[in-house]
Amino acid sequence: MARADAENELLRAVARGDPDALGELYRAFERPLYSVGMRWLSDPKLAEELVQEVTFRIWRRATTFDGRRGAASSWIFGIARNVAADLARERARRPIAVADPPRVQETLDEEKAWEAWQVSLELKRLPRQQQEIIELAYGRDMTQAEVARTLGIPLGTVKTRLYAGLKSLRRSLVERGVVEESSR
Amino acid sequence: MKRCSEVRLDLPAYLSSELDHASAAALDEHLAACGACLGDLSELDLVTAVLSHSGLEHRPPGHLELEVLTLVTLEPDPAGREGSSTKDLSRASRLQGRSIRLVLAPALAAAAVTLAAFGMAWRSDLSNARDRIQAMQQQLGPTGAPVRAISFVESGSTGVSARGELVRQPDGNHRIVVWAKGLPHTPAGHHYEVWLSGEQGWVSAGSFQVSDGDSMMWSCPVGVSPAAYPEVWITLEPDDGDPRRTGPSVLRASL
Ligand SMILES: [Zn+2]
């Protein structure tokens, strides 16, 4: 798949010490990383720590990435899972008094997180205009009329872009095996 | 009757129950007679179901990218990672029970002194990491070596987090570097003050203001031996000319 190849290539550039490649990789993965961080740790500060630590590890260990053994996104997801486990253990030891401690998950739900990971990666690849409408409608639970008002565009435009965005998201999620191919 | 291409644009709104009664009824009627649109509906249903469980509501804060990329790419030896000096620091931090450390590379620690001037770039979204590094390196003075990671604990539940480093400068003096997130803007007539405390009392290490953005990096020389003043405090002090510590503490840490 061309996109996966592009990510692998970026990771190889990171291995050569190219900070621009790291920036580009970061922008592709920040959102998915933060999102799995929130899913696993239920704490915005820890989710930020996860993003930071994973980025450190990518920068340090990119030379050990082997594209023949799997895609860059799986490699990064694996790092995120390890960091999340470290952070969860760390938090259990942290002597900070918190009035209402966030619930700690005993085990990390890997399958659902992997699914969400791929959704947010694919979402990032949609045209910006479709992406922002999907985020407002499904990430912030806005109605289409609210989205139209927020973005200052006609409702008809929201409908067109939303439909197109959902359709191409579906196609890429079918490719990634996240949603099933329809039978017709 | 509407054409299929028009009908389909309404399917997402249909799925989220946003259509008015008449439009929904008309769409029902079309779906009952049109297998193609019905198939489209079930596809969209699957995608929107996945979307609603994918954590889209969690958005990383806007300042994160610049902070992370700046810190990561300022490591002194990006290509020769395993041999870099940050590795030892990382290990030292882990020994202190922190599995996550903020590695302030020596270069960055020195750069932090000038970060007040760099504040604009710190906050603005410079997309090119290399430019950013060069801009920071131009401001570097002599570098120092981080000797200890500082883990701040908030004194209250204000949502502030901070880390820092104790850095030994080439001249043998120490410097404290603090990196804080979520510090409230300094209220009018106040300033934040950094203190060292020990058995011999309190010593002010300097003060700073937070005026915009909620992240700040700050650094000050330490005129006393950190061994004799092992506690670090950040307090909010009134501008009343009283040099003593009178304000509430916001963050504290042990060296
Ligand atoms: Zn139809």
Side-chain angles (χ1 to χ4, degrees):
Chain A
M1 209 191 305
R3 281 188 300 254
D5 287 346
E7 283 163 9
N8 291 4
E9 189 42 55
L10 268 181
L11 202 44
R12 279 191 285 273
V14 171
R16 294 190 296 270
D18 179 349
D20 294 338
L22 184 74
E24 205 174 317
L25 201 65
Y26 179 90
R27 282 183 283 280
F29 285 91
E30 181 193 49
R31 181 72 182 268
L33 282 171
Y34 186 82
S35 178
V36 295
M38 281 302 291
R39 170 180 289 266
W40 282 330
L41 301 160
S42 315
D43 178 336
K45 277 193 222 164
L46 289 179
E48 286 183 35
E49 285 196 24
L50 178 132
V51 174
Q52 179 179 304
E53 180 62 16
V54 171
T55 310
F56 265 112
R57 292 192 190 180
I58 292 172
W59 185 235
R60 291 241 179 75
R61 300 181 187 170
T63 47
T64 68
F65 169 71
D66 180 355
R68 289 164 303 185
R69 300 216 310 253
S73 75
S74 317
W75 187 73
I76 294 172
F77 182 82
I79 295 177
R81 190 189 47 220
N82 292 340
V83 170
D86 287 350
L87 283 170
R89 272 195 297 277
E90 158 97 358
R91 172 171 56 190
R93 286 199 303 266
R94 252 180 223 189
I96 300 176
V98 181
D100 187 14
R103 196 172 56 85
V104 183
Q105 283 189 347
E106 291 300 315
T107 52
L108 306 176
D109 68 327
E110 233 174 275
E111 204 176 306
K112 285 283 170 203
W114 173 243
E115 190 178 289
W117 171 261
Q118 307 211 72
V119 172
S120 48
L121 276 175
E122 288 302 337
L123 192 61
K124 282 287 289 182
R125 293 173 177 131
L126 291 180
R128 181 73 226 149
Q129 294 176 327
Q130 297 176 6
Q131 210 182 103
E132 90 192 333
I133 289 176
I134 291 181
E135 283 183 4
L136 293 173
Y138 298 97
R140 302 216 176 156
D141 271 338
M142 285 191 189
T143 64
Q144 294 180 1
E146 286 166 344
V147 172
R149 264 199 305 281
T150 303
L151 298 177
I153 55 178
L155 181 59
T157 309
V158 171
K159 286 179 182 292
T160 314
R161 289 181 189 165
L162 183 59
Y163 181 80
L166 290 173
K167 290 294 274 188
S168 51
L169 189 60
R170 191 200 77 89
R171 274 190 298 278
S172 39
L173 291 176
V174 166
E175 266 182 55
R176 288 193 174 237
V178 176
V179 300
E180 284 173 28
E181 179 71 89
S182 66
S183 47
R184 76 195 157 98
Chain B
M1 191 155 167
K2 280 185 174 178
R3 285 179 307 156
C4 291
S5 56
E6 288 175 72
V7 166
R8 291 184 184 186
L9 294 183
D10 273 338
L11 294 176
Y14 178 80
L15 283 168
S16 51
S17 313
E18 288 176 46
L19 293 183
D20 59 50
H21 188 73
S23 310
L27 211 153
D28 277 334
E29 202 178 315
H30 181 102
L31 290 172
C34 179
C37 284
L38 191 61
D40 214 40
L41 180 73
S42 87
E43 286 183 1
L44 289 171
D45 188 28
L46 280 178
V47 179
T48 52
V50 170
L51 271 175
S52 58
H53 295 112
S54 62
L56 273 190
E57 67 275 23
H58 303 306
R59 303 175 60 85
H63 59 78
L64 193 60
E65 176 183 338
L66 194 57
E67 282 170 10
V68 171
L69 288 179
T70 304
L71 288 168
V72 172
T73 51
L74 271 172
E75 291 217 310
D77 182 12
R81 275 139 256 193
E82 287 307 308
S84 82
S85 65
T86 51
K87 190 189 170 201
D88 294 329
L89 176 63
S90 162
R91 190 188 299 126
S93 303
R94 282 193 169 85
L95 288 176
Q96 290 169 25
R98 291 172 55 211
S99 69
I100 287 292
R101 73 281 167 276
L102 172 71
V103 176
L104 284 179
L108 180 58
V113 184
T114 51
L115 265 178
F118 195 72
M120 291 300 289
W122 181 255
R123 276 184 295 276
S124 70
D125 184 13
L126 294 179
S127 59
N128 186 314
R130 190 168 286 146
D131 287 351
R132 197 155 60 226
I133 291 169
Q134 280 170 358
M136 289 191 78
Q137 283 172 340
Q138 280 167 6
Q139 305 193 34
L140 296 186
T143 59
V147 291
R148 185 156 308 164
I150 307 172
S151 219
F152 282 91
V153 176
E154 57 180 311
S155 318
S157 52
T158 45
V160 183
S161 65
R163 299 213 176 73
E165 295 284 0
L166 186 65
V167 176
R168 185 162 30 236
Q169 301 178 150
D171 62 7
N173 289 325
H174 287 85
R175 174 174 287 282
I176 283 181
V177 181
V178 178
W179 185 63
K181 272 194 281 190
L183 268 182
H185 294 184
T186 320
H190 289 72
H191 58 272
Y192 287 107
E193 189 144 5
V194 182
W195 304 85
L196 295 175
S197 78
E199 285 178 6
Q200 298 166 61
W202 292 71
V203 176
S204 170
S207 63
F208 62 91
Q209 302 272 339
V210 177
S211 56
D212 62 339
D214 70 342
S215 272
M216 54 77 62
M217 198 164 208
W218 180 85
S219 159
C220 66
V222 176
V224 294
S225 158
Y229 292 85
E231 300 279 319
V232 186
W233 299 76
I234 296 177
T235 65
L236 185 61
E237 298 289 330
D239 297 334
D240 56 3
D242 185 344
R244 292 169 306 171
R245 186 201 149 205
T246 56
S249 85
V250 185
L251 292 160
R252 66 191 162 79
S254 297
L255 288 177

